[in-house]
Amino acid sequence: MQTRTPCSDYQKTKGLIYFARMLDKIRLNASGQLPPGYFVGVNDDPTAFDARCTRFLATDYDELVVRTLQGGSDEEVLEWCFTRGRKPSEEEIEIWNAFILKRGWRDAGSAELAAAQKEAGLGDRDDIQTWVDLHDAEEGRIPASGIRGDRR
């Protein structure tokens, strides 16, 4: 079976970034199409985006997997999360989006990002400054975060 990378972190579901990617990884993993090496779930690393996203929505990851595989659009699954967990305000979604888009840029995740970038053979890429940039670069997309400048 052929593998397929998940959609970009930038894809929005009802204004929320990353959620579509998490669902895409769930679906691809269940069908055997997710390439090896992707973080899927919440048990391995509480700082992984899947873990952060399910905590943000106050939703159990394993229950989310079951609901996602039952079918429906990303929007329908997110509405399910809102009723089972919590529905963040527009401001909370704005803060979430900003956090995810900037994770790894001059913060506690910077060293781990630099190591992962180097391990991926992308250590010389100045356009990779966030985890979202790295995901896009690893999956053949041009990083588009808009966070630019030097690394002083």
Side-chain angles (χ1 to χ4, degrees), residues 20 51 63 98 111:
E63 291 177 12

Side-chain angles (χ1 to χ4, degrees), residues 7 20 36 41 48 50 52 62 70 79 85 88 96 111 129 133 137 141 147:
C7 66
D50 291 0
R52 290 181 187 273
D62 294 329
Q70 288 174 349
E79 279 297 326
W96 162 263
Q129 296 190 12
D133 291 342
R141 295 182 292 269
I147 297 174

